[in-house]
Amino acid sequence: MAKTDEVRFISSAVKLPPSSPPPRRHSLFSSARSNFAKLPFNFKFNFNFNADSQPINFISQFLKNQPFVTKNHILNAAFNKPPLFCSAALALSDSAPAPAQSKGGEEAGSVTQSKNVSSTRATEEERVLISEVLVRNKDGEELERKDLEAEALNALKASRANSALTVREVQEDVHRIIASGYFMSCMPVAVDTRDGIRLIFQVEQNQEFQGLVCEGANVLPAKFIEDAFRDAYGKVVNVRRLDKVINSIDNWYMERGLFGMVSGVEILSGGIIKLQASEAEVNDISIRFLDKTGEPTVGKTRPETILRQLTTKKGQVYSMIQGKRDVDTVLAMGVMDDVSIIPQPSSEIGKVDLAMNVVERKSGGGISGGGGISSGITSGPLAGLIGSIAIYHKNLFGRNQKINLSLERGQIDSIFRMNYTDPWIEGDDKRTSRAIMIQNSRTPGTLVHGNQPNNTGLTVGRVTAGIEYSRPFRPKWNGTAGLVLQRAGAHDEKGNPIIRDFFGSPLTASGNSHDNMLLAKLETVYTGSGDPGSTMCVVNMDQGIPLSPEWLVFNRVNARSRQGFSVGPARFLFCLSGGHVVGKFPPHEAFPIGGTNSVRGYEEGAVGSGRSYVVGSGEISLPLTGPLEAAIFADYGTDLGSGPTVPGDPAGARNKPGSGYGYGVGVRVDSPLGPLRLEYAFNDQKTGRFHFGIGLRN
């Protein structure tokens, strides 16, 4: 008897009730009627199947973005075989014995076989008039559930009362009944009656769903499975719906990039459905160093330095999404040109090995140079030009530790800085980083004190040394704590220390030529998606610690936030910042208001300088062509009336308004340095000016 992997064919005798000889009008179909009475197909699904024992089969399909399909998956096999569920031909029995094969060779046997096939095909094409079509249970009795009887009858296409049918048409209707999903077997029985042939489809319904057992699902939420089957309790198991549930579980794994699938389904006695999930756990992670041509080479970076960057760990179910984040993290170390993760079959069944291929940069160190514009220069853009040179190494001792010595020099500005950074302290499991900094800087004091009436300027010199520790404490949140020792004072154009400006206002808080302070620093940063214009929030606080009676004691809090979103082609960006200082602080530490990154339309610090401040801005940008965008914007800033509380009231002495707004238009050009901004803005004093900036506003 022909059979397939998913369907069993069982022949059984069919008892015909005593009846008178058939009328002559059926004589042309007597052969077919006889065969209908002997139809040998009873379709039974075997729901017990298992996944392939080698996980690489579904891993490779997953990497190609193909749905998981195992060779024994009864549901997929059933519903994906067009046009019938079973492709095997049904042999029709005949009461006449088969002719004996000729002893002379295979030729006679071949002729006999050909005749039998032709006879079978001819018989399948003969039609028999059916007078009545019924659906009964396997014992020939009426179904207790009339809804299931209606499902079976509705599934029939060719089998109708008073219709002439062939064997193939009946076979196709058997397939349709099974395809409804409610029945595990269906056997057509032909009964000869006075009125003609009565065709009875004897069906065996699936069990009622009474419970669920799921094995091997370590990351699949139990609630997801429960919700998928919640509406099925107490109902007859429908194979179609079961297939949809399995597909939804497989899709859950795929959407999260997880190497997992439902590999087996079994309907146990008592209506219990058993699901077997296969999840590929990470067995081992190895680092392979490759050169530019893809050949193995010896790496400079320690493998443990790379491995500790990975969030994928042994024993976890491998996620391609998590793997992509790990690749980005390793690239962010700044010492790799290319990184990729290759899943490979493991020696342990059901697990996967990961090989991370990395291509290191030729050298972790070097010399770089550049230039820019200082935002604190108010006497024209050329005076604000600065140049820079740096000597750096990004991979000290193969541990990704960084050292940087840089010098920035302009007509007024100068900064010498030495930084050492350990992005992940060895032995720490919280990704804590450490930075040590020594800096000597000279910056213009015009942000707070403006240009002197006699056309002389002053600069603020700072010698700073500090240490900071940073670590992520929640997704997208990062915290920093540190200590900074600073010595600051004002100087004239010749570099001589001064304690008062042209108006007689003090330039230091202590009254000496320099102010000393030890600051405890705390900072919290939230970053959204990391895309330009995404959500960002920064809150920082500086607290002065009096190691000596003359050392400054003050508390300064500053916060800024940014929110961007798109509506069609337009992109909206809103920024808000504010701060307040309590205690004794030098006037050059007041908050300046006005300028390119504050209130546009004003010079740097021209709105005011206060103990407190609030600045808000909004802009709308539209794409023009390629990387070019056009923007309109509006800004507002105020010192909240705190200008006079700054020592010496430098803003009041220079008749700064204390509050103001600006509005204008500009263009943006994307560049490797970030968005380049060229803007023209008017202020509430009816004057306008150009602004040039790099990067988004904070």
Side-chain angles (χ1 to χ4, degrees):
M1 191 65 65
K3 62 181 180 180
T4 68
D5 290 340
E6 295 83 23
V7 183
R8 293 203 303 262
F9 300 86
I10 301 176
S11 61
S12 58
V14 179
K15 296 181 180 180
L16 296 179
S19 60
S20 57
R24 289 184 178 273
R25 60 189 176 91
H26 294 299
S27 59
L28 295 177
F29 305 96
S30 58
S31 175
R33 181 187 306 121
S34 174
N35 282 291
F36 263 103
K38 300 176 182 178
L39 283 177
F41 38 92
N42 173 24
F43 292 82
K44 285 182 177 290
F45 277 125
N46 179 7
F47 288 96
N48 189 5
F49 57 91
N50 297 306
D52 196 314
S53 61
Q54 293 299 326
I56 188 60
N57 290 344
F58 75 85
I59 291 176
S60 60
Q61 291 186 14
F62 189 98
L63 293 175
K64 296 176 183 177
N65 295 323
Q66 298 296 327
F68 296 120
V69 180
T70 56
K71 62 181 181 181
N72 293 326
H73 202 309
I74 188 66
L75 303 177
N76 287 335
F79 298 115
N80 292 336
K81 286 187 178 180
L84 305 178
F85 285 98
C86 310
S87 58
L90 299 179
L92 295 180
S93 303
D94 200 315
S95 57
Q101 186 173 347
S102 172
K103 295 182 180 180
E106 296 183 358
E107 184 176 353
S110 300
V111 173
T112 303
Q113 272 191 335
S114 177
K115 288 182 179 180
N116 288 341
V117 172
S118 301
S119 175
T120 300
R121 290 178 179 174
T123 302
E124 288 182 352
E125 297 302 321
E126 292 186 52
R127 293 187 175 275
V128 173
L129 183 64
I130 302 298
S131 63
E132 188 177 11
V133 178
L134 300 176
V135 175
R136 295 291 185 264
N137 62 19
K138 63 180 180 179
D139 298 324
E141 301 173 351
E142 291 189 10
L143 296 180
E144 295 182 1
R145 298 204 34 183
K146 297 301 180 182
D147 57 333
L148 294 182
E149 180 179 343
E151 290 285 350
L153 289 173
N154 291 335
L156 300 177
K157 182 177 180 181
S159 301
R160 294 286 187 268
N162 301 317
S163 59
L165 304 177
T166 65
V167 173
R168 179 170 294 277
E169 288 174 336
V170 175
Q171 175 187 352
E172 291 173 353
D173 274 347
V174 169
H175 297 156
R176 294 185 182 101
I177 290 177
I178 296 297
S180 67
Y182 291 100
F183 306 98
M184 67 177 65
S185 68
C186 177
M187 182 171 64
V189 177
V191 179
D192 201 353
T193 68
R194 296 178 181 178
D195 299 327
I197 298 297
R198 175 185 298 159
L199 181 58
I200 302 175
F201 292 94
Q202 293 185 352
V203 298
E204 183 179 358
Q205 72 181 46
N206 295 329
Q207 301 180 64
E208 291 186 355
F209 177 54
Q210 298 298 332
L212 175 69
V213 176
C214 185
E215 297 180 353
N218 297 319
V219 297
L220 183 67
K223 186 177 185 303
F224 181 86
I225 306 177
E226 293 171 358
D227 291 343
F229 285 92
R230 190 179 304 280
D231 297 336
Y233 283 94
K235 298 179 182 179
V236 174
V237 174
N238 185 289
V239 179
R240 282 187 176 275
R241 186 181 183 282
L242 184 58
D243 185 59
K244 292 180 180 179
V245 170
I246 292 173
N247 287 336
S248 70
I249 295 175
D250 289 347
N251 289 335
W252 185 91
Y253 282 111
M254 290 184 184
E255 289 171 358
R256 289 155 182 80
L258 295 169
F259 271 31
M261 62 174 289
V262 177
S263 58
V265 179
E266 185 178 358
I267 300 182
L268 307 176
S269 60
I272 304 299
I273 294 180
K274 179 182 177 181
L275 296 181
Q276 181 65 46
S278 295
E279 299 175 348
E281 295 182 353
V282 177
N283 178 62
D284 186 45
I285 306 175
S286 60
I287 305 298
R288 295 190 301 198
F289 292 94
L290 306 177
D291 59 20
K292 297 289 185 180
T293 63
E295 296 297 323
T297 186
V298 178
K300 301 175 183 177
T301 307
R302 296 190 179 187
E304 58 269 22
T305 300
I306 301 175
L307 289 173
R308 70 179 182 178
Q309 303 288 334
L310 309 183
T311 57
T312 301
K313 303 297 181 183
K314 296 180 182 179
Q316 293 181 349
V317 177
Y318 179 58
S319 166
M320 291 197 300
I321 296 176
Q322 189 176 8
K324 182 181 181 302
R325 288 199 298 264
D326 287 339
V327 168
D328 294 339
T329 301
V330 174
L331 286 172
M333 293 171 61
V335 295
M336 305 297 175
D337 277 334
D338 187 48
V339 179
S340 62
I341 294 180
I342 309 298
Q344 297 177 333
S346 173
S347 58
E348 296 189 32
I349 295 176
K351 294 189 177 183
V352 61
D353 290 339
L354 302 180
M356 172 169 279
N357 297 330
V358 297
V359 179
E360 289 183 305
R361 294 180 179 174
K362 290 184 177 180
S363 175
I367 301 176
S368 65
I373 297 177
S374 172
S375 62
I377 306 299
T378 61
S379 58
L382 294 180
L385 289 175
I386 58 175
S388 65
I389 186 172
I391 302 173
Y392 63 89
H393 199 291
K394 296 183 178 181
N395 197 12
L396 285 175
F397 315 115
R399 297 181 181 275
N400 195 218
Q401 298 173 1
K402 301 172 174 61
I403 188 169
N404 184 79
L405 283 77
S406 63
L407 175 64
E408 297 179 6
R409 182 72 180 179
Q411 295 186 36
I412 300 176
D413 296 59
S414 68
I415 301 176
F416 174 78
R417 182 186 297 113
M418 182 173 64
N419 291 82
Y420 166 80
T421 303
D422 186 352
W424 194 333
I425 300 174
E426 187 173 0
D428 179 79
D429 61 350
K430 302 296 185 181
R431 300 182 69 92
T432 304
S433 66
R434 175 177 53 217
I436 300 174
M437 176 267 298
I438 299 175
Q439 177 177 295
N440 188 348
S441 66
R442 187 182 68 179
T443 57
T446 52
L447 289 175
V448 173
H449 300 281
N451 290 320
Q452 303 286 42
N454 57 2
N455 202 27
T456 60
L458 61 86
T459 59
V460 177
R462 295 180 177 87
V463 177
T464 307
I467 183 170
E468 293 182 349
Y469 291 87
S470 299
R471 71 165 49 168
F473 57 89
R474 290 189 61 184
K476 301 182 180 181
W477 287 88
N478 192 77
T480 301
L483 286 174
V484 176
L485 180 64
Q486 179 174 294
R487 177 182 176 89
H491 301 79
D492 60 18
E493 290 182 328
K494 297 180 180 180
N496 299 319
I498 54 176
I499 60 174
R500 292 188 179 274
D501 63 9
F502 178 84
F503 296 96
S505 300
L507 296 175
T508 60
S510 63
N512 300 323
S513 60
H514 294 86
D515 289 323
N516 297 316
M517 61 195 83
L518 177 64
L519 301 177
K521 301 175 68 72
L522 291 175
E523 182 178 75
T524 300
V525 180
Y526 171 84
T527 54
S529 62
D531 297 331
S534 63
T535 302
M536 182 196 72
C537 182
V538 180
V539 179
N540 53 55
M541 182 188 72
D542 298 336
Q543 174 63 55
I545 301 175
L547 292 184
S548 170
E550 294 183 353
W551 287 37
L552 303 186
V553 180
F554 63 91
N555 181 276
R556 176 173 53 201
V557 177
N558 191 22
R560 63 183 188 274
S561 63
R562 181 182 68 204
Q563 175 67 59
F565 60 90
S566 298
V567 178
R571 187 171 63 188
F572 293 77
L573 182 66
F574 297 95
C575 301
L576 181 66
S577 60
H580 181 66
V581 182
V582 177
K584 185 178 181 181
F585 68 101
H588 55 76
E589 295 289 348
F591 297 110
I593 307 169
T596 302
N597 293 310
S598 181
V599 179
R600 285 162 286 191
Y602 281 92
E603 291 185 349
E604 303 296 329
V607 174
S609 54
R611 184 183 288 266
S612 304
Y613 87 105
V614 173
V615 172
S617 68
E619 66 180 44
I620 305 173
S621 59
L622 291 166
L624 294 179
T625 177
L628 191 64
E629 292 183 347
I632 58 174
F633 57 84
D635 307 323
Y636 176 78
T638 175
D639 62 7
L640 300 174
S642 64
T645 64
V646 176
D649 188 14
R654 290 158 178 81
N655 296 317
K656 296 182 180 180
S659 65
Y661 63 85
Y663 55 92
V665 297
V667 292
R668 310 278 191 273
V669 179
D670 285 336
S671 74
L673 299 176
L676 303 180
R677 301 182 287 132
L678 179 61
E679 302 157 335
Y680 189 83
F682 294 94
N683 59 34
D684 53 341
Q685 306 295 327
K686 307 305 180 184
T687 60
R689 62 181 287 112
F690 280 101
H691 294 274
F692 177 77
I694 301 176
L696 292 174
R697 289 171 56 87
N698 293 325

